[in-house]
Amino acid sequence: MHELSVAESILDILTENARSSGYQRVKLVRLEIGALACIEPEALRFCFDAVMKDSLADGATLEIARTLGQGWCTPCCRSVVIEALYDACPLCGNPNVKVTAGTAMRVKEVEVE
Ligand SMILES: [Zn+2]
C-alpha cells in the first residue's frame, strides 16, 4: 500500500526533525496533501497510527489539509484548477493539461513537547 510508505516517510521526517530540534514527543502533525498526490487521507490515517506506534509520535493527532490541483492549459494560456491527474481543462476541454501544482505532500507543522 502506497500510504504505508508515505506514513513511513513522515516518521523519517519527524525523527530527523526531532534530532535537529531536540524534541522528544510529537503531539500533532499537520500535513498538506495535494489533490493530485494520489494519497487517500483515510488510508493514510490508518497507516499513520500503525507506523507511529511505539515511536516518538505514538498517539499523535494527524491533521490533513488538502491543496488544490493546478495545471497549465496551453490553448487557454492560463492556469486552471483540476481535480485529478489527467483531467481535461475545465474551461475548454483540452485533455493535455500540464500539471503544475498539487502533486506534493509535505509536513506543514508539528506540535511537540
Ligand atoms: Zn483550456
Side-chain angles (χ1 to χ4, degrees):
M1 199 185 338
H2 170 61
E3 281 77 7
L4 185 62
S5 59
V6 173
E8 281 166 350
S9 67
I10 294 169
L11 180 57
D12 286 346
I13 293 168
L14 296 177
T15 308
E16 191 61 36
N17 282 352
R19 201 174 298 137
S20 55
S21 312
Y23 55 77
Q24 312 284 318
R25 294 275 308 153
V26 176
K27 290 195 301 185
L28 182 141
V29 179
R30 282 202 181 89
L31 281 187
E32 218 173 59
I33 300 178
L36 313 179
C38 302
I39 297 170
E40 195 54 59
E42 284 319 305
L44 180 57
R45 272 180 205 288
F46 180 81
C47 294
F48 181 87
D49 287 344
V51 169
M52 299 307 155
K53 198 161 171 41
D54 300 324
S55 80
L56 76 171
D58 193 353
T61 308
L62 179 64
E63 279 186 13
I64 298 176
R66 303 276 274 171
T67 61
L68 288 174
Q70 270 191 347
W72 179 260
C73 179
T74 307
C76 292
C77 202
R78 58 170 288 183
S79 174
V80 293
V81 172
I82 50 176
E83 310 262 321
L85 282 178
Y86 313 115
D87 259 15
C89 170
L91 303 175
C92 72
N94 162 38
N96 299 312
V97 176
K98 190 177 175 298
V99 172
T100 53
T103 54
M105 186 272 321
R106 69 186 188 104
V107 176
K108 202 177 158 203
E109 205 184 343
V110 291
E111 276 180 23
V112 300
E113 58 185 29

